[in-house]
Amino acid sequence: MSILRKNKIDFRLCAEDMPTKWYNFLPDLPKSLPPIRDNGHHSAQKISEQIRPKILLEQNNPKTQWVDIPTPVIDRLIQCGRPTPLRRAYGLEKYLDTPARIYFKREDTLTTGSFKLNTALAQAYYAKEEGRKILISETGAGQWGMSVALASQMFGLKARIFMAKCSLAQKPYRQHYMKMLGTEIYPSPSQKTNCGSRLLNRSPEHPGSIGTAISEAIESALETPDSAYLSGSNINHVHLHQTLLGLEVKKQLSLAGEESVNHLVACVSGGSNLCGFMMPFLKEKNEGLDIQMLGVESTAAPRLTKGTYEYCRSDVAGYTPEVLSYSMGKDYIPAPVHAGGLRNHNSSPLVSLLYKEGIINARALDEIKAFEAGRLMLQTEGILVAPESSHAVAAAIDLANDAKESGEERVIVFLASGNGFLDLQGYNEVLDL
Amino acid sequence: MSILRKNKIDFRLCAEDMPTKWYNFLPDLPKSLPPIRDNGHHSAQKISEQIRPKILLEQNNPKTQWVDIPTPVIDRLIQCGRPTPLRRAYGLEKYLDTPARIYFKREDTLTTGSFKLNTALAQAYYAKEEGRKILISETGAGQWGMSVALASQMFGLKARIFMAKCSLAQKPYRQHYMKMLGTEIYPSPSQKTNCGSRLLNRSPEHPGSIGTAISEAIESALETPDSAYLSGSNINHVHLHQTLLGLEVKKQLSLAGEESVNHLVACVSGGSNLCGFMMPFLKEKNEGLDIQMLGVESTAAPRLTKGTYEYCRSDVAGYTPEVLSYSMGKDYIPAPVHAGGLRNHNSSPLVSLLYKEGIINARALDEIKAFEAGRLMLQTEGILVAPESSHAVAAAIDLANDAKESGEERVIVFLASGNGFLDLQGYNEVLDL
């Protein structure tokens, strides 16, 4: 009988195996997160309290080690494909001829095609519980926007998304998807907000950025009654919601008979996929297990590997607080790589602390290397990952090659954070198909 | 505790539950399939024997009730996402306020995004076993082409695909996917074949069709040493390979605690998704169980509901035999609907016999009704299905509404044959988003 049939390739969990609590990893950190600076012309702290559901603010610093996931959130996560598979990458291993055992977590199988849905559903639920009627957010490449669109629909709420004008043109399919769910979409900068209007007056052809879109979304939330603003990354409650990833992977590695894991690999920007995946392993790492955590960024915005650890903010209008993070500087313009999720000018305070303290390592990879790894992943495993995820694939391949070099049986797990079907145009351009 | 968590919404099978044999349903038919007519200017029978692996010809009429699936095929099916989920459509049921219990089989979760992969992997394997080096086929909307591209790659073979010129322009993303897998792609009509050249000489702007693409693929297979021609539908061995669908659904309905099913619904063209899904239930239906089988076609090509039962062939050049089937006539030009998989001018002999004998019913639905059902499916279940599959959704909704009308607890299962991410442009145009 085939080894694959005996559950040795696809370590599936059933609905009843779905975690029912998120893991609060803050107690496992070596030190507290540095305080924010709230010296903009708005009070970022007050703004945050006004636009976000109260329980989400509490979840930025939970009082307990475990946080209950509300049942309606669990139900919808299951409807949308959780728990997601963990797959052994036999095809890739064979191609690389490596003694390493490579696994990958398939967040690409969620119905929106990315891991972002995990927190969108939770945030939408809490907003609804507080009586909010419309969810407002920004989106870069569009994966987060799609998740907000679906989550709002599933809880009977409306959604409004500001998407950088340049990305909207580059990724029309994601816009169609959001519109099918009744989401209002504004290309940022837009005339919908004062901040957007000012930018357009100054520069009518402004291409927009994630920074302009955040500012417009926050302003819109401040001015729209019964609205809530949702964040797709960067902030602690988002990282908390994403711990589902690591909690599931731990169960699945155990099903796979792996007693330990040597390398965890994920792409990194705000870092919610990385933190959600890796932080449930931090306690074991603290206890001395050899678990190496690697964040992979894009050379288009090499915040960790080439940035400066400094106070800066995420948006252009100054609605967000200044946070201590690795940054390229607030005026940095990244190259227009297709991995839109990796283009932010700064990282989150948490990821920055993890890097500063040596808990995670980081590498920056260029787009061609990443997309070539994405192609190899498709060719050997049959799975097309998102441009962001392809950075993790490329780094995992290098680790597997290192293992071959040293002849060691390393266990490598990487995160396939999203699906690449809607990025085929990008693959086509970069790989010159 | 949530009812969804206790495995009451997502009836997952593990790799070890994957069927290891296909089901030969031919003995369950009320009569034999009518003979082919082989009176073209080529001998279609001889051509078929030359271009197809021998074992596939045998599998058109297996000698046993069950046919072993080769282990390497099982392995790759598992790698690509089999067994696929069966989901209870609680969201849709609630929206419709129906007493019906609605389930759907998620072939959209296969890594190529459609059920076509099930037979592509089997055919590629047999071709490789016979020493063939290159797989040649045609594709309409591109789902079949993507599956051939991946299957050939997974067995270390090359692939060559002829795709109707008009579809190639309409669905560029599918072309990029195939190219990532190293597939040669020709817009049909092409200069690559005599048949294509003749068409181009006569009419340089010829938009191509599935009929031109089949002719070119067969000619190319006849003239390419060590090649094999693969069929995506219509022919018995394809229907056989797709019986995985029905076999898995039966196991899953049993997990769901359903003792019987009242309605099976699938879109239909050549009919491999319909037959693979429904034929494993035929024996029970013959024994008197109330299982109603419904095929849903497009009003753009209403072969079963408005066509004529007559001998005709599938390609323009006359390489395929004449078969007795419901047909719109070989010169019929369907409206350019986005459900490219439902545009063929005739149905398969098997589906035609099933309809003629009253085993399946049929309905034709227009594109707007289908796409509106697709949108409702996304809104209520979070899953975006392919345009073809949206026809099945629309018909299932009507059946659920009928059940509401009559107050009956009917069990409805429909097939989500494919994923709609790459068809978002079509949804956008038809729904005027």
Side-chain angles (χ1 to χ4, degrees):
Chain A
M1 179 192 284
S2 140
I3 47 168
L4 304 194
R5 274 206 64 233
K6 292 183 72 178
N7 200 25
K8 294 295 183 206
I9 179 169
D10 185 354
F11 306 95
R12 293 196 183 188
L13 301 174
C14 287
E16 54 198 344
D17 303 316
M18 160 96 192
T20 58
K21 296 171 193 295
W22 294 301
Y23 181 71
N24 169 23
F25 52 82
L26 295 178
D28 301 340
L29 295 177
K31 54 168 74 169
S32 303
L33 285 163
I36 62 169
R37 274 194 204 159
D38 197 6
N39 56 359
H41 57 285
H42 310 283
S43 164
Q45 187 61 36
K46 276 204 184 129
I47 287 172
S48 185
E49 283 168 17
Q50 186 177 340
I51 60 179
R52 294 180 204 270
K54 187 158 171 282
I55 198 161
L56 291 174
L57 296 168
E58 290 166 15
Q59 288 183 351
N60 284 334
N61 193 4
K63 300 205 172 14
T64 53
Q65 180 88 71
W66 293 94
V67 179
D68 283 334
I69 309 175
T71 300
V73 176
I74 292 177
D75 285 355
R76 283 163 183 83
L77 286 167
I78 293 170
Q79 267 191 294
C80 292
R82 293 222 79 82
T84 59
L86 182 78
R87 274 264 276 100
R88 173 92 181 260
Y90 280 111
L92 187 58
E93 288 174 21
K94 190 175 166 194
Y95 177 87
L96 299 172
D97 187 24
T98 176
R101 295 193 290 284
I102 309 175
Y103 298 85
F104 56 101
K105 177 69 167 166
R106 289 197 60 194
E107 292 299 295
D108 65 298
T109 62
L110 286 176
T111 61
T112 53
S114 99
F115 77 104
K116 293 279 187 186
L117 191 56
N118 299 318
T119 184
L121 285 167
Q123 294 186 54
Y125 168 78
Y126 290 125
K128 183 191 169 82
E129 283 294 289
E130 274 196 7
R132 316 255 184 154
K133 309 287 187 221
I134 177 165
L135 307 181
I136 303 178
S137 196
E138 70 287 338
T139 192
Q143 292 105 329
W144 170 241
M146 286 171 69
S147 293
V148 173
L150 182 59
S152 60
Q153 173 73 41
M154 290 191 109
F155 284 106
L157 305 173
K158 297 220 164 287
R160 179 181 301 156
I161 296 289
F162 293 85
M163 185 165 174
K165 202 189 284 170
C166 52
S167 299
L168 206 51
Q170 210 182 14
K171 319 251 183 189
Y173 282 38
R174 293 212 165 93
Q175 180 181 185
H176 304 327
Y177 181 96
M178 291 186 262
K179 284 190 173 165
M180 281 183 75
L181 289 160
T183 299
E184 287 174 30
I185 302 173
Y186 296 94
S188 177
S190 75
Q191 298 287 0
K192 178 81 181 164
T193 65
N194 293 325
C195 154
S197 303
R198 277 197 305 274
L199 290 169
L200 284 176
N201 286 346
R202 231 179 294 152
S203 148
E205 300 303 313
H206 197 302
S209 67
I210 189 75
T212 68
I214 293 175
S215 294
E216 290 201 80
I218 294 178
E219 183 187 321
S220 180
L222 283 168
E223 297 188 352
T224 305
D226 298 327
S227 69
Y229 169 77
L230 308 191
S231 283
S233 189
N234 278 40
I235 195 160
N236 282 3
H237 61 261
V238 178
H239 303 315
L240 175 75
H241 300 159
Q242 295 292 359
T243 56
L244 287 177
L245 301 183
L247 296 172
E248 286 182 11
V249 168
K250 287 175 100 169
K251 285 191 188 194
Q252 290 168 309
L253 284 174
S254 157
L255 282 179
E258 297 293 355
E259 289 177 5
S260 63
V261 54
N262 304 111
H263 298 280
L264 300 175
V265 186
C267 64
V268 65
S269 178
S272 69
N273 83 71
L274 180 144
C275 295
F277 171 39
M278 299 184 190
M279 289 303 96
F281 291 87
L282 183 54
K283 202 168 176 188
E284 283 96 323
K285 182 176 168 74
N286 289 339
E287 287 163 359
L289 284 191
D290 170 28
I291 304 176
Q292 297 184 27
M293 300 177 175
L294 178 63
V296 191
E297 52 188 14
S298 165
T299 49
R303 299 156 299 244
L304 298 177
T305 51
K306 296 214 173 145
T308 311
Y309 198 46
E310 64 184 8
Y311 271 93
C312 80
R313 64 176 93 244
S314 305
D315 74 315
V316 299
Y319 289 120
T320 56
E322 290 197 333
V323 294
L324 187 56
S325 64
Y326 283 93
S327 167
M328 304 303 292
K330 73 177 171 50
D331 299 321
Y332 182 75
I333 310 276
V337 291
H338 294 276
L342 304 182
R343 276 195 306 226
N344 295 15
H345 68 271
N346 69 331
S347 200
S348 66
L350 176 62
V351 164
S352 300
L353 180 73
L354 293 173
Y355 184 65
K356 183 79 178 167
E357 295 294 317
I359 294 169
I360 64 168
N361 290 318
R363 284 185 65 185
L365 294 183
D366 68 44
E367 186 163 53
I368 292 179
K369 181 172 167 100
F371 273 32
E372 280 173 350
R375 171 158 61 185
L376 184 60
M377 177 77 182
L378 175 61
Q379 292 181 339
T380 56
E381 293 296 335
I383 289 161
L384 181 67
V385 300
E388 293 83 358
S389 318
S390 72
H391 290 70
V393 180
I397 288 172
D398 284 350
L399 290 170
N401 283 330
D402 292 348
K404 181 178 179 183
E405 195 85 11
S406 65
E408 284 175 290
E409 276 191 31
R410 309 286 283 175
V411 176
I412 301 166
V413 186
F414 70 84
L415 185 67
S417 53
N419 177 292
F421 276 151
L422 300 188
D423 300 286
L424 277 162
Q425 180 61 38
Y427 274 106
N428 181 50
E429 285 169 22
V430 174
L431 296 176
D432 197 13
L433 296 172
Chain B
M1 180 193 284
S2 141
I3 47 168
L4 305 194
R5 273 205 66 232
K6 291 181 73 180
N7 201 27
K8 294 295 182 205
I9 180 169
D10 185 352
F11 305 96
R12 294 197 182 187
L13 301 175
C14 288
E16 54 200 345
D17 303 315
M18 160 95 192
T20 57
K21 294 171 196 295
W22 294 301
Y23 181 70
N24 168 23
F25 52 83
L26 295 178
D28 301 340
L29 295 177
K31 54 167 73 169
S32 302
L33 286 163
I36 62 168
R37 275 197 205 157
D38 196 8
N39 57 358
H41 57 285
H42 311 282
S43 165
Q45 188 59 37
K46 276 204 186 132
I47 287 172
S48 186
E49 284 169 17
Q50 186 177 339
I51 60 180
R52 294 179 203 271
K54 189 159 170 283
I55 198 161
L56 291 174
L57 296 169
E58 290 167 14
Q59 287 183 352
N60 284 333
N61 193 5
K63 299 205 173 12
T64 55
Q65 181 88 69
W66 293 94
V67 178
D68 284 335
I69 310 176
T71 299
V73 175
I74 293 177
D75 285 354
R76 283 161 184 83
L77 286 167
I78 292 169
Q79 266 191 296
C80 292
R82 294 220 79 81
T84 60
L86 181 78
R87 273 263 277 102
R88 173 92 180 260
Y90 280 111
L92 187 58
E93 288 174 22
K94 190 175 166 195
Y95 177 87
L96 299 174
D97 187 25
T98 176
R101 295 194 290 284
I102 309 175
Y103 297 85
F104 57 101
K105 178 69 169 167
R106 290 197 60 196
E107 292 298 295
D108 65 297
T109 61
L110 286 176
T111 60
T112 53
S114 101
F115 78 105
K116 294 279 188 186
L117 191 57
N118 299 318
T119 183
L121 285 168
Q123 294 186 53
Y125 168 77
Y126 290 124
K128 183 192 169 81
E129 284 294 289
E130 275 196 5
R132 317 255 184 153
K133 308 285 188 223
I134 177 165
L135 307 182
I136 303 178
S137 196
E138 70 286 340
T139 192
Q143 291 105 330
W144 170 241
M146 285 169 69
S147 292
V148 173
L150 183 59
S152 60
Q153 173 74 40
M154 290 191 110
F155 284 107
L157 306 173
K158 297 221 166 286
R160 178 181 300 156
I161 296 290
F162 292 86
M163 186 166 175
K165 203 190 282 169
C166 53
S167 299
L168 205 51
Q170 211 183 12
K171 320 251 182 188
Y173 282 38
R174 294 212 165 91
Q175 180 181 186
H176 303 327
Y177 181 96
M178 291 186 262
K179 284 191 174 166
M180 280 182 76
L181 289 160
T183 298
E184 288 174 31
I185 302 173
Y186 296 94
S188 177
S190 75
Q191 299 286 1
K192 177 82 180 167
T193 65
N194 293 325
C195 155
S197 302
R198 276 197 306 272
L199 290 168
L200 285 176
N201 285 345
R202 229 180 295 151
S203 150
E205 300 304 313
H206 196 302
S209 68
I210 189 77
T212 67
I214 294 175
S215 294
E216 291 202 80
I218 294 178
E219 183 187 322
S220 180
L222 284 168
E223 296 187 353
T224 305
D226 297 329
S227 69
Y229 170 77
L230 308 191
S231 282
S233 189
N234 278 40
I235 194 160
N236 282 4
H237 61 259
V238 177
H239 303 315
L240 175 75
H241 300 158
Q242 295 293 359
T243 55
L244 287 177
L245 299 183
L247 296 171
E248 287 182 11
V249 168
K250 288 176 98 169
K251 285 191 188 195
Q252 290 169 308
L253 284 173
S254 156
L255 283 179
E258 298 293 356
E259 288 176 6
S260 62
V261 55
N262 304 111
H263 298 280
L264 300 175
V265 186
C267 65
V268 65
S269 179
S272 69
N273 83 73
L274 180 145
C275 294
F277 171 37
M278 299 185 191
M279 289 303 97
F281 290 87
L282 183 54
K283 202 168 175 188
E284 283 95 322
K285 183 177 169 72
N286 289 341
E287 286 164 0
L289 284 190
D290 171 27
I291 304 175
Q292 297 183 28
M293 299 177 175
L294 178 62
V296 191
E297 51 188 16
S298 165
T299 50
R303 298 155 300 242
L304 298 177
T305 52
K306 297 213 172 145
T308 311
Y309 197 47
E310 64 184 10
Y311 272 93
C312 81
R313 64 176 92 243
S314 306
D315 74 315
V316 300
Y319 289 119
T320 56
E322 289 197 334
V323 294
L324 186 56
S325 65
Y326 282 93
S327 167
M328 304 303 291
K330 74 177 172 48
D331 298 323
Y332 181 76
I333 310 277
V337 292
H338 294 277
L342 304 183
R343 277 195 307 228
N344 296 15
H345 69 271
N346 70 331
S347 201
S348 67
L350 176 62
V351 164
S352 299
L353 180 73
L354 293 172
Y355 185 64
K356 183 77 179 168
E357 295 295 318
I359 294 169
I360 64 168
N361 290 318
R363 285 186 65 186
L365 294 182
D366 68 43
E367 186 163 55
I368 291 179
K369 181 171 167 97
F371 273 33
E372 280 173 351
R375 171 158 60 185
L376 185 61
M377 176 77 183
L378 175 62
Q379 291 180 340
T380 57
E381 293 296 335
I383 289 161
L384 180 67
V385 299
E388 293 82 359
S389 318
S390 72
H391 291 69
V393 180
I397 288 171
D398 284 349
L399 290 170
N401 284 330
D402 292 347
K404 182 179 179 184
E405 195 86 13
S406 64
E408 285 174 291
E409 276 192 29
R410 310 285 284 174
V411 176
I412 301 166
V413 186
F414 70 85
L415 185 67
S417 54
N419 177 292
F421 277 151
L422 299 188
D423 300 286
L424 277 161
Q425 181 60 37
Y427 274 106
N428 181 49
E429 285 169 21
V430 173
L431 296 176
D432 197 14
L433 296 172

